[in-house]
Structure formats: structure tokens, C-alpha cells
mmCIF file of all heavy atoms in Angstrom:
data_model
loop_
_atom_site.group_PDB
_atom_site.id
_atom_site.type_symbol
_atom_site.label_atom_id
_atom_site.label_comp_id
_atom_site.label_asym_id
_atom_site.label_seq_id
_atom_site.Cartn_x
_atom_site.Cartn_y
_atom_site.Cartn_z
ATOM 1 N N ALA A 1 96.279 9.185 43.228
ATOM 2 C CA ALA A 1 94.944 9.593 43.658
ATOM 3 C C ALA A 1 93.952 9.593 42.504
ATOM 4 O O ALA A 1 94.300 9.832 41.347
ATOM 5 C CB ALA A 1 95.010 10.994 44.278
ATOM 6 N N THR A 2 92.687 9.316 42.819
ATOM 7 C CA THR A 2 91.620 9.525 41.850
ATOM 8 C C THR A 2 91.317 11.017 41.794
ATOM 9 O O THR A 2 91.535 11.748 42.765
ATOM 10 C CB THR A 2 90.359 8.743 42.246
ATOM 11 O OG1 THR A 2 89.970 9.127 43.577
ATOM 12 C CG2 THR A 2 90.636 7.247 42.224
ATOM 13 N N ARG A 3 90.806 11.454 40.645
ATOM 14 C CA ARG A 3 90.610 12.892 40.445
ATOM 15 C C ARG A 3 89.218 13.181 39.891
ATOM 16 O O ARG A 3 88.647 12.372 39.169
ATOM 17 C CB ARG A 3 91.641 13.437 39.450
ATOM 18 C CG ARG A 3 93.084 13.206 39.832
ATOM 19 C CD ARG A 3 94.015 13.836 38.797
ATOM 20 N NE ARG A 3 95.425 13.646 39.121
ATOM 21 C CZ ARG A 3 96.400 14.369 38.593
ATOM 22 N NH1 ARG A 3 96.132 15.319 37.706
ATOM 23 N NH2 ARG A 3 97.656 14.138 38.946
ATOM 24 N N ARG A 4 88.730 14.342 40.206
ATOM 25 C CA ARG A 4 87.538 14.868 39.541
ATOM 26 C C ARG A 4 87.657 16.392 39.503
ATOM 27 O O ARG A 4 88.292 17.004 40.361
ATOM 28 C CB ARG A 4 86.265 14.435 40.253
ATOM 29 C CG ARG A 4 86.024 15.076 41.593
ATOM 30 C CD ARG A 4 84.656 14.661 42.155
ATOM 31 N NE ARG A 4 84.359 15.355 43.390
ATOM 32 C CZ ARG A 4 84.739 14.954 44.590
ATOM 33 N NH1 ARG A 4 85.473 13.851 44.714
ATOM 34 N NH2 ARG A 4 84.420 15.647 45.667
ATOM 35 N N ARG A 5 87.057 16.972 38.501
ATOM 36 C CA ARG A 5 87.147 18.424 38.339
ATOM 37 C C ARG A 5 85.953 19.106 39.010
ATOM 38 O O ARG A 5 84.815 18.664 38.856
ATOM 39 C CB ARG A 5 87.185 18.789 36.857
ATOM 40 C CG ARG A 5 87.325 20.294 36.608
ATOM 41 C CD ARG A 5 87.244 20.614 35.134
ATOM 42 N NE ARG A 5 88.384 20.104 34.410
ATOM 43 C CZ ARG A 5 89.565 20.727 34.342
ATOM 44 N NH1 ARG A 5 89.742 21.867 34.992
ATOM 45 N NH2 ARG A 5 90.540 20.221 33.636
ATOM 46 N N GLU A 6 86.224 20.165 39.736
ATOM 47 C CA GLU A 6 85.196 21.041 40.280
ATOM 48 C C GLU A 6 85.596 22.466 39.941
ATOM 49 O O GLU A 6 86.463 23.053 40.591
ATOM 50 C CB GLU A 6 85.037 20.860 41.787
ATOM 51 C CG GLU A 6 84.385 19.551 42.195
ATOM 52 C CD GLU A 6 83.897 19.551 43.629
ATOM 53 O OE1 GLU A 6 84.080 20.586 44.315
ATOM 54 O OE2 GLU A 6 83.339 18.533 44.062
ATOM 55 N N GLY A 7 84.969 23.007 38.908
ATOM 56 C CA GLY A 7 85.349 24.327 38.444
ATOM 57 C C GLY A 7 86.756 24.313 37.889
ATOM 58 O O GLY A 7 87.091 23.519 37.008
ATOM 59 N N GLU A 8 87.595 25.192 38.406
ATOM 60 C CA GLU A 8 88.980 25.283 37.957
ATOM 61 C C GLU A 8 89.919 24.413 38.788
ATOM 62 O O GLU A 8 91.124 24.419 38.552
ATOM 63 C CB GLU A 8 89.461 26.750 38.015
ATOM 64 C CG GLU A 8 88.703 27.683 37.088
ATOM 65 C CD GLU A 8 88.862 27.273 35.631
ATOM 66 O OE1 GLU A 8 90.001 26.965 35.224
ATOM 67 O OE2 GLU A 8 87.852 27.265 34.906
ATOM 68 N N GLU A 9 89.373 23.676 39.743
ATOM 69 C CA GLU A 9 90.205 22.881 40.645
ATOM 70 C C GLU A 9 90.059 21.387 40.380
ATOM 71 O O GLU A 9 89.019 20.926 39.921
ATOM 72 C CB GLU A 9 89.836 23.185 42.106
ATOM 73 C CG GLU A 9 90.037 24.651 42.486
ATOM 74 C CD GLU A 9 89.482 24.992 43.846
ATOM 75 O OE1 GLU A 9 88.689 24.185 44.410
ATOM 76 O OE2 GLU A 9 89.813 26.067 44.374
ATOM 77 N N ILE A 10 91.124 20.650 40.705
ATOM 78 C CA ILE A 10 91.131 19.197 40.594
ATOM 79 C C ILE A 10 91.107 18.630 42.012
ATOM 80 O O ILE A 10 92.040 18.846 42.792
ATOM 81 C CB ILE A 10 92.375 18.689 39.846
ATOM 82 C CG1 ILE A 10 92.491 19.360 38.482
ATOM 83 C CG2 ILE A 10 92.316 17.172 39.715
ATOM 84 C CD1 ILE A 10 91.322 19.119 37.563
ATOM 85 N N VAL A 11 90.030 17.932 42.348
ATOM 86 C CA VAL A 11 89.879 17.366 43.682
ATOM 87 C C VAL A 11 90.510 15.980 43.705
ATOM 88 O O VAL A 11 90.177 15.117 42.878
ATOM 89 C CB VAL A 11 88.392 17.282 44.087
ATOM 90 C CG1 VAL A 11 88.252 16.661 45.483
ATOM 91 C CG2 VAL A 11 87.758 18.669 44.056
ATOM 92 N N LEU A 12 91.432 15.763 44.627
ATOM 93 C CA LEU A 12 92.093 14.481 44.791
ATOM 94 C C LEU A 12 91.354 13.641 45.820
ATOM 95 O O LEU A 12 90.647 14.179 46.672
ATOM 96 C CB LEU A 12 93.548 14.679 45.233
ATOM 97 C CG LEU A 12 94.412 15.557 44.321
ATOM 98 C CD1 LEU A 12 95.805 15.713 44.924
ATOM 99 C CD2 LEU A 12 94.501 14.972 42.923
ATOM 100 N N SER A 13 91.533 12.323 45.737
ATOM 101 C CA SER A 13 90.852 11.416 46.658
ATOM 102 C C SER A 13 91.147 11.797 48.099
ATOM 103 O O SER A 13 92.228 12.294 48.421
ATOM 104 C CB SER A 13 91.278 9.969 46.401
ATOM 105 O OG SER A 13 92.683 9.851 46.439
ATOM 106 N N SER A 14 90.201 11.527 48.977
ATOM 107 C CA SER A 14 90.280 12.006 50.355
ATOM 108 C C SER A 14 91.405 11.320 51.119
ATOM 109 O O SER A 14 91.876 10.251 50.732
ATOM 110 C CB SER A 14 88.948 11.743 51.063
ATOM 111 O OG SER A 14 88.772 10.363 51.238
ATOM 112 N N PRO A 15 91.828 11.911 52.242
ATOM 113 C CA PRO A 15 92.906 11.309 53.042
ATOM 114 C C PRO A 15 92.606 9.899 53.528
ATOM 115 O O PRO A 15 93.526 9.134 53.798
ATOM 116 C CB PRO A 15 93.030 12.273 54.226
ATOM 117 C CG PRO A 15 92.497 13.562 53.714
ATOM 118 C CD PRO A 15 91.409 13.209 52.749
ATOM 119 N N SER A 16 91.344 9.520 53.628
ATOM 120 C CA SER A 16 91.024 8.195 54.136
ATOM 121 C C SER A 16 91.143 7.118 53.064
ATOM 122 O O SER A 16 91.083 5.933 53.355
ATOM 123 C CB SER A 16 89.595 8.169 54.693
ATOM 124 O OG SER A 16 88.663 8.484 53.677
ATOM 125 N N THR A 17 91.293 7.538 51.782
ATOM 126 C CA THR A 17 91.372 6.573 50.698
ATOM 127 C C THR A 17 92.774 6.004 50.604
ATOM 128 O O THR A 17 93.751 6.734 50.599
ATOM 129 C CB THR A 17 91.006 7.246 49.363
ATOM 130 O OG1 THR A 17 89.677 7.738 49.453
ATOM 131 C CG2 THR A 17 91.099 6.260 48.212
ATOM 132 N N THR A 18 92.878 4.681 50.518
ATOM 133 C CA THR A 18 94.167 4.018 50.352
ATOM 134 C C THR A 18 94.251 3.468 48.947
ATOM 135 O O THR A 18 93.393 2.707 48.518
ATOM 136 C CB THR A 18 94.330 2.858 51.353
ATOM 137 O OG1 THR A 18 94.254 3.400 52.668
ATOM 138 C CG2 THR A 18 95.682 2.176 51.162
ATOM 139 N N ILE A 19 95.279 3.871 48.212
ATOM 140 C CA ILE A 19 95.469 3.424 46.844
ATOM 141 C C ILE A 19 96.789 2.691 46.779
ATOM 142 O O ILE A 19 97.860 3.286 46.920
ATOM 143 C CB ILE A 19 95.465 4.617 45.856
ATOM 144 C CG1 ILE A 19 94.158 5.392 45.992
ATOM 145 C CG2 ILE A 19 95.679 4.129 44.434
ATOM 146 C CD1 ILE A 19 94.127 6.668 45.204
ATOM 147 N N GLY A 20 96.762 1.390 46.603
ATOM 148 C CA GLY A 20 97.980 0.593 46.608
ATOM 149 C C GLY A 20 98.650 0.572 45.254
ATOM 150 O O GLY A 20 98.003 0.567 44.217
ATOM 151 N N ASP A 21 99.969 0.584 45.223
ATOM 152 C CA ASP A 21 100.728 0.446 43.993
ATOM 153 C C ASP A 21 100.774 -1.015 43.580
ATOM 154 O O ASP A 21 100.721 -1.919 44.408
ATOM 155 C CB ASP A 21 102.175 0.926 44.197
ATOM 156 C CG ASP A 21 102.250 2.433 44.311
ATOM 157 O OD1 ASP A 21 101.270 3.082 43.943
ATOM 158 O OD2 ASP A 21 103.292 2.931 44.762
ATOM 159 N N GLU A 22 100.881 -1.233 42.278
ATOM 160 C CA GLU A 22 101.152 -2.577 41.810
ATOM 161 C C GLU A 22 102.593 -2.910 42.162
ATOM 162 O O GLU A 22 103.490 -2.093 42.008
ATOM 163 C CB GLU A 22 100.938 -2.668 40.301
ATOM 164 C CG GLU A 22 99.501 -2.421 39.876
ATOM 165 C CD GLU A 22 99.333 -2.559 38.374
ATOM 166 O OE1 GLU A 22 99.981 -3.438 37.774
ATOM 167 O OE2 GLU A 22 98.567 -1.791 37.803
ATOM 168 N N VAL A 23 102.812 -4.121 42.628
ATOM 169 C CA VAL A 23 104.144 -4.498 43.063
ATOM 170 C C VAL A 23 104.948 -4.996 41.882
ATOM 171 O O VAL A 23 104.414 -5.424 40.866
ATOM 172 C CB VAL A 23 104.073 -5.591 44.150
ATOM 173 C CG1 VAL A 23 103.355 -5.068 45.372
ATOM 174 C CG2 VAL A 23 103.362 -6.843 43.616
ATOM 175 N N GLY A 24 106.262 -4.929 42.021
ATOM 176 C CA GLY A 24 107.143 -5.533 41.041
ATOM 177 C C GLY A 24 107.691 -4.592 40.007
ATOM 178 O O GLY A 24 108.681 -4.917 39.348
ATOM 179 N N LEU A 25 107.103 -3.427 39.806
ATOM 180 C CA LEU A 25 107.580 -2.471 38.808
ATOM 181 C C LEU A 25 107.630 -1.081 39.427
ATOM 182 O O LEU A 25 106.788 -0.708 40.232
ATOM 183 C CB LEU A 25 106.641 -2.432 37.594
ATOM 184 C CG LEU A 25 106.587 -3.659 36.685
ATOM 185 C CD1 LEU A 25 105.510 -3.472 35.631
ATOM 186 C CD2 LEU A 25 107.936 -3.904 36.029
ATOM 187 N N TRP A 26 108.618 -0.319 39.037
ATOM 188 C CA TRP A 26 108.655 1.086 39.418
ATOM 189 C C TRP A 26 109.379 1.879 38.353
ATOM 190 O O TRP A 26 110.185 1.361 37.582
ATOM 191 C CB TRP A 26 109.278 1.299 40.792
ATOM 192 C CG TRP A 26 110.596 0.651 41.046
ATOM 193 C CD1 TRP A 26 110.827 -0.629 41.446
ATOM 194 C CD2 TRP A 26 111.890 1.257 40.923
ATOM 195 N NE1 TRP A 26 112.170 -0.863 41.591
ATOM 196 C CE2 TRP A 26 112.846 0.279 41.272
ATOM 197 C CE3 TRP A 26 112.329 2.520 40.562
ATOM 198 C CZ2 TRP A 26 114.211 0.530 41.278
ATOM 199 C CZ3 TRP A 26 113.699 2.768 40.556
ATOM 200 C CH2 TRP A 26 114.608 1.779 40.922
ATOM 201 N N VAL A 27 109.033 3.150 38.274
ATOM 202 C CA VAL A 27 109.551 4.046 37.242
ATOM 203 C C VAL A 27 110.454 5.078 37.888
ATOM 204 O O VAL A 27 110.155 5.601 38.963
ATOM 205 C CB VAL A 27 108.402 4.750 36.501
ATOM 206 C CG1 VAL A 27 108.942 5.707 35.440
ATOM 207 C CG2 VAL A 27 107.463 3.732 35.862
ATOM 208 N N SER A 28 111.567 5.383 37.239
ATOM 209 C CA SER A 28 112.456 6.433 37.726
ATOM 210 C C SER A 28 113.020 7.191 36.534
ATOM 211 O O SER A 28 112.933 6.745 35.379
ATOM 212 C CB SER A 28 113.601 5.853 38.561
ATOM 213 O OG SER A 28 114.539 5.189 37.726
ATOM 214 N N ASP A 29 113.587 8.359 36.829
ATOM 215 C CA ASP A 29 114.311 9.098 35.793
ATOM 216 C C ASP A 29 115.560 8.331 35.391
ATOM 217 O O ASP A 29 116.203 7.691 36.222
ATOM 218 C CB ASP A 29 114.735 10.473 36.315
ATOM 219 C CG ASP A 29 113.552 11.367 36.601
ATOM 220 O OD1 ASP A 29 112.654 11.441 35.760
ATOM 221 O OD2 ASP A 29 113.530 11.987 37.679
ATOM 222 N N VAL A 30 115.908 8.412 34.109
ATOM 223 C CA VAL A 30 117.213 7.924 33.678
ATOM 224 C C VAL A 30 118.237 8.991 34.065
ATOM 225 O O VAL A 30 118.115 10.141 33.652
ATOM 226 C CB VAL A 30 117.249 7.691 32.155
ATOM 227 C CG1 VAL A 30 118.664 7.341 31.691
ATOM 228 C CG2 VAL A 30 116.278 6.588 31.763
ATOM 229 N N PRO A 31 119.240 8.653 34.885
ATOM 230 C CA PRO A 31 120.252 9.649 35.268
ATOM 231 C C PRO A 31 120.957 10.195 34.033
ATOM 232 O O PRO A 31 121.441 9.436 33.198
ATOM 233 C CB PRO A 31 121.211 8.855 36.161
ATOM 234 C CG PRO A 31 120.402 7.700 36.648
ATOM 235 C CD PRO A 31 119.468 7.354 35.534
ATOM 236 N N GLN A 32 120.991 11.519 33.935
ATOM 237 C CA GLN A 32 121.592 12.145 32.763
ATOM 238 C C GLN A 32 122.851 12.921 33.132
ATOM 239 O O GLN A 32 122.895 13.585 34.166
ATOM 240 C CB GLN A 32 120.587 13.077 32.082
ATOM 241 C CG GLN A 32 119.373 12.342 31.553
ATOM 242 C CD GLN A 32 118.429 13.285 30.855
ATOM 243 O OE1 GLN A 32 118.816 14.025 29.951
ATOM 244 N NE2 GLN A 32 117.173 13.271 31.274
ATOM 245 N N CYS A 33 123.847 12.844 32.247
ATOM 246 C CA CYS A 33 125.148 13.466 32.500
ATOM 247 C C CYS A 33 125.642 13.051 33.874
ATOM 248 O O CYS A 33 126.200 13.840 34.636
ATOM 249 C CB CYS A 33 125.075 14.986 32.379
ATOM 250 S SG CYS A 33 124.669 15.557 30.730
ATOM 251 N N ALA A 34 125.408 11.767 34.179
ATOM 252 C CA ALA A 34 125.771 11.241 35.489
ATOM 253 C C ALA A 34 127.277 11.113 35.608
ATOM 254 O O ALA A 34 127.987 11.041 34.611
ATOM 255 C CB ALA A 34 125.112 9.885 35.695
ATOM 256 N N PRO A 35 127.785 11.091 36.834
ATOM 257 C CA PRO A 35 129.219 10.857 37.009
ATOM 258 C C PRO A 35 129.654 9.578 36.313
ATOM 259 O O PRO A 35 128.900 8.607 36.241
ATOM 260 C CB PRO A 35 129.361 10.743 38.535
ATOM 261 C CG PRO A 35 128.208 11.507 39.072
ATOM 262 C CD PRO A 35 127.088 11.295 38.099
ATOM 263 N N GLU A 36 130.860 9.582 35.757
ATOM 264 C CA GLU A 36 131.350 8.436 35.002
ATOM 265 C C GLU A 36 131.810 7.337 35.962
ATOM 266 O O GLU A 36 132.945 7.317 36.421
ATOM 267 C CB GLU A 36 132.504 8.864 34.082
ATOM 268 C CG GLU A 36 132.069 9.862 33.028
ATOM 269 C CD GLU A 36 131.053 9.275 32.052
ATOM 270 O OE1 GLU A 36 130.983 8.041 31.925
ATOM 271 O OE2 GLU A 36 130.323 10.047 31.420
ATOM 272 N N VAL A 37 130.916 6.442 36.288
ATOM 273 C CA VAL A 37 131.236 5.288 37.115
ATOM 274 C C VAL A 37 130.837 4.044 36.357
ATOM 275 O O VAL A 37 129.991 4.092 35.472
ATOM 276 C CB VAL A 37 130.499 5.316 38.479
ATOM 277 C CG1 VAL A 37 130.925 6.516 39.290
ATOM 278 C CG2 VAL A 37 128.995 5.323 38.274
ATOM 279 N N SER A 38 131.443 2.950 36.664
ATOM 280 C CA SER A 38 131.116 1.695 36.007
ATOM 281 C C SER A 38 129.834 1.161 36.610
ATOM 282 O O SER A 38 129.807 0.751 37.769
ATOM 283 C CB SER A 38 132.251 0.686 36.187
ATOM 284 O OG SER A 38 131.911 -0.554 35.602
ATOM 285 N N TRP A 39 128.756 1.171 35.842
ATOM 286 C CA TRP A 39 127.449 0.764 36.362
ATOM 287 C C TRP A 39 127.150 -0.657 35.930
ATOM 288 O O TRP A 39 127.361 -1.047 34.793
ATOM 289 C CB TRP A 39 126.361 1.679 35.806
ATOM 290 C CG TRP A 39 125.018 1.498 36.460
ATOM 291 C CD1 TRP A 39 124.500 2.225 37.482
ATOM 292 C CD2 TRP A 39 124.032 0.522 36.135
ATOM 293 N NE1 TRP A 39 123.262 1.770 37.826
ATOM 294 C CE2 TRP A 39 122.947 0.718 37.010
ATOM 295 C CE3 TRP A 39 123.961 -0.509 35.213
ATOM 296 C CZ2 TRP A 39 121.801 -0.066 36.974
ATOM 297 C CZ3 TRP A 39 122.819 -1.304 35.175
ATOM 298 C CH2 TRP A 39 121.757 -1.073 36.048
ATOM 299 N N HIS A 40 126.644 -1.445 36.824
ATOM 300 C CA HIS A 40 126.073 -2.738 36.475
ATOM 301 C C HIS A 40 125.073 -3.110 37.550
ATOM 302 O O HIS A 40 125.179 -2.622 38.691
ATOM 303 C CB HIS A 40 127.144 -3.833 36.324
ATOM 304 C CG HIS A 40 127.946 -4.064 37.575
ATOM 305 N ND1 HIS A 40 127.485 -4.826 38.632
ATOM 306 C CD2 HIS A 40 129.170 -3.603 37.944
ATOM 307 C CE1 HIS A 40 128.410 -4.851 39.590
ATOM 308 N NE2 HIS A 40 129.420 -4.125 39.218
ATOM 309 N N PRO A 41 124.061 -3.902 37.239
ATOM 310 C CA PRO A 41 123.048 -4.246 38.248
ATOM 311 C C PRO A 41 123.674 -4.823 39.512
ATOM 312 O O PRO A 41 124.539 -5.692 39.457
ATOM 313 C CB PRO A 41 122.189 -5.291 37.516
ATOM 314 C CG PRO A 41 122.371 -4.967 36.063
ATOM 315 C CD PRO A 41 123.803 -4.495 35.932
ATOM 316 N N GLY A 42 123.227 -4.301 40.641
ATOM 317 C CA GLY A 42 123.718 -4.787 41.923
ATOM 318 C C GLY A 42 124.896 -4.007 42.460
ATOM 319 O O GLY A 42 125.288 -4.182 43.609
ATOM 320 N N ARG A 43 125.490 -3.098 41.648
ATOM 321 C CA ARG A 43 126.639 -2.320 42.128
ATOM 322 C C ARG A 43 126.173 -1.312 43.169
ATOM 323 O O ARG A 43 125.113 -0.714 43.033
ATOM 324 C CB ARG A 43 127.307 -1.578 40.968
ATOM 325 C CG ARG A 43 128.456 -0.669 41.427
ATOM 326 C CD ARG A 43 129.096 0.054 40.235
ATOM 327 N NE ARG A 43 130.057 1.045 40.682
ATOM 328 C CZ ARG A 43 131.303 0.776 40.999
ATOM 329 N NH1 ARG A 43 131.746 -0.468 40.929
ATOM 330 N NH2 ARG A 43 132.125 1.734 41.383
ATOM 331 N N ARG A 44 126.961 -1.116 44.187
ATOM 332 C CA ARG A 44 126.653 -0.119 45.205
ATOM 333 C C ARG A 44 127.903 0.709 45.484
ATOM 334 O O ARG A 44 128.990 0.156 45.669
ATOM 335 C CB ARG A 44 126.192 -0.782 46.520
ATOM 336 C CG ARG A 44 124.842 -1.495 46.379
ATOM 337 C CD ARG A 44 123.729 -0.494 46.152
ATOM 338 N NE ARG A 44 122.440 -1.155 46.061
ATOM 339 C CZ ARG A 44 121.888 -1.568 44.956
ATOM 340 N NH1 ARG A 44 122.540 -1.409 43.805
ATOM 341 N NH2 ARG A 44 120.703 -2.139 44.959
ATOM 342 N N VAL A 45 127.751 2.014 45.468
ATOM 343 C CA VAL A 45 128.861 2.909 45.791
ATOM 344 C C VAL A 45 128.392 3.849 46.890
ATOM 345 O O VAL A 45 127.204 4.076 47.067
ATOM 346 C CB VAL A 45 129.316 3.712 44.555
ATOM 347 C CG1 VAL A 45 129.986 2.804 43.553
ATOM 348 C CG2 VAL A 45 128.155 4.445 43.907
ATOM 349 N N ARG A 46 129.319 4.415 47.610
ATOM 350 C CA ARG A 46 128.985 5.243 48.767
ATOM 351 C C ARG A 46 128.464 6.599 48.314
ATOM 352 O O ARG A 46 129.051 7.261 47.459
ATOM 353 C CB ARG A 46 130.218 5.429 49.655
ATOM 354 C CG ARG A 46 129.904 6.186 50.942
ATOM 355 C CD ARG A 46 131.089 6.145 51.880
ATOM 356 N NE ARG A 46 130.819 6.888 53.087
ATOM 357 C CZ ARG A 46 130.106 6.428 54.104
ATOM 358 N NH1 ARG A 46 129.586 5.235 54.044
ATOM 359 N NH2 ARG A 46 129.905 7.150 55.188
ATOM 360 N N LEU A 47 127.358 7.010 48.904
ATOM 361 C CA LEU A 47 126.740 8.280 48.575
ATOM 362 C C LEU A 47 127.019 9.298 49.679
ATOM 363 O O LEU A 47 127.242 8.934 50.832
ATOM 364 C CB LEU A 47 125.226 8.113 48.435
ATOM 365 C CG LEU A 47 124.738 7.193 47.304
ATOM 366 C CD1 LEU A 47 123.242 6.962 47.460
ATOM 367 C CD2 LEU A 47 125.034 7.791 45.952
#
């Protein structure tokens, strides 16, 4: 959302505003102290 300050509050863009993400990239947390499984791109295990 776009933001602007009004006093002590941060006003976010209105519900009618559509803000599209750039395609092709996304950010996630690096799993920490994750279960010891053999990870490689494309691997899928049952959750």
C-alpha cells in the first residue's frame, strides 16, 4: 500500500486501489533450525 501520515496515524491506500506485485521474484524467510531433510530445488515432501 501507499502511505501518508496524518497526525500519529499512517493512512494506507484505499480499498479501491489495486497495487500489483512485480512478477518473477518473491521474498520469504530462510527456514531456521528446520527439520533435517535433504533439500534441493523441486523436492516435495508431505506436510
Side-chain angles (χ1 to χ4, degrees):
T2 56
R3 303 182 180 198
R4 71 175 185 274
R5 182 185 292 278
E6 288 196 0
E8 297 299 315
E9 300 171 345
I10 305 300
V11 179
L12 304 177
S13 54
S14 69
S16 61
T17 299
T18 300
I19 303 173
D21 287 344
E22 296 182 37
V23 298
L25 291 175
W26 50 276
V27 179
S28 73
D29 294 314
V30 173
Q32 297 182 53
C33 296
E36 296 296 339
V37 297
S38 177
W39 190 96
H40 60 80
R43 176 180 172 83
R44 293 292 182 268
V45 291
R46 185 171 179 80
L47 297 171

